[in-house]
């Protein structure tokens, strides 16, 4: 579970979904007070990791589908399910390694203060990005479903 959270941080921090407001990336950059050189380097890092992240998520989705299919069989095989679990664990481990590598690359681009904001989630792109305006009842509360036990804050 921790590996998932670590892996998703750059995806949420630096990806811009098609449904996101077009100025989301610019708000993040404004919050971090990035200069033009940093913006260009972050764009490059994003492009480098986007395809890799997508392939990892697709592989996980495929494994989840296989698990579901196996469980729906009249006689599911424990050994097959264990094999899928092993493969999922290996994918999560690889994603965590890639996340660490990505964070080290970010650290090279950002100032110590900027990097600290990302790591400590003091910037607006943290756990409740956009949730306060939407009236999320869990903002700042310990029972937040986004902050389940065992997950990194």
């Amino acid at each position: 579970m921790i590996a998932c959270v670590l892996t998703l941080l750059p995806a949420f921090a630096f990806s811009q979904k098609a449904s996101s407001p077009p100025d989301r990336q610019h708000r993040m950059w404004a919050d971090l007070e990035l200069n033009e050189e940093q913006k260009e380097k972050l764009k490059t890092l994003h492009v480098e990791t986007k395809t890799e992240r997508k392939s990892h998520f697709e592989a996980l989705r495929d494994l989840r589908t296989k698990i579901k299919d196996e469980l729906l069989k009249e006689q599911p095989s424990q050994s097959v399910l264990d094999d899928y679990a092993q493969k999922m664990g290996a994918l999560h481990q690889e994603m965590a390694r890639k996340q660490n590598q990505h964070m080290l690359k970010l650290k090279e681009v950002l100032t110590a203060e900027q990097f600290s904001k990302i790591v400590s989630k003091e910037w607006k792109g943290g756990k409740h990005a956009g949730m306060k305006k939407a009236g999320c009842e869990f903002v700042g509360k310990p029972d937040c479903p986004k902050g389940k036990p065992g997950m990194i804050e």
Side-chain angles (χ1 to χ4, degrees):
M1 187 59 80
I2 292 173
C4 284
V5 174
L6 290 174
T7 303
L8 295 175
L9 180 63
F12 293 124
F14 294 120
S15 68
Q16 184 174 353
K17 294 182 182 178
S19 62
S20 298
D23 65 339
R24 178 179 175 190
Q25 186 177 47
H26 299 292
R27 283 195 321 264
M28 180 201 66
W29 287 352
D31 290 344
L32 294 175
E33 299 175 3
L34 300 174
N35 62 40
E36 291 303 314
E37 181 182 356
Q38 288 174 315
K39 290 176 188 177
E40 287 305 312
K41 288 180 180 179
L42 290 180
K43 283 181 190 177
T44 302
L45 282 174
H46 174 72
V47 170
E48 289 174 0
T49 60
K50 184 177 181 179
T51 303
E52 194 170 274
R53 277 193 322 267
K54 185 176 179 181
S55 68
H56 275 286
F57 289 125
E58 288 171 356
L60 283 171
R61 184 184 62 230
D62 292 345
L63 280 169
R64 287 186 192 105
T65 300
K66 288 178 181 181
I67 290 170
K68 179 186 76 168
D69 292 344
E70 185 65 29
L71 288 169
L72 291 172
K73 289 181 179 178
E74 193 168 317
Q75 294 290 322
S77 168
Q78 181 68 51
S79 64
V80 170
L81 291 169
D82 289 346
D83 182 54
Y84 292 150
Q86 180 81 25
K87 289 177 182 177
M88 284 184 81
L91 274 172
H92 284 296
Q93 186 176 34
E94 180 62 22
M95 291 170 77
R97 280 192 204 111
K98 296 291 183 182
Q99 164 63 16
N100 290 338
Q101 290 171 358
H102 181 73
M103 293 303 286
L104 290 172
K105 288 178 183 178
L106 286 178
K107 191 171 185 171
E108 292 175 7
V109 173
L110 302 174
T111 65
E113 182 181 346
Q114 291 166 330
F115 187 73
S116 177
K117 283 182 182 180
I118 287 178
V119 172
S120 64
K121 293 188 178 187
E122 290 177 6
W123 60 291
K124 293 179 184 175
K127 182 168 67 173
H128 292 286
M131 301 291 280
K132 198 169 199 171
K133 285 183 184 176
C136 176
E137 63 186 284
F138 295 108
V139 175
K141 295 183 180 175
D143 56 346
C144 172
K146 287 189 173 190
K148 294 177 183 166
M151 294 181 74
I152 295 177
E153 278 293 310

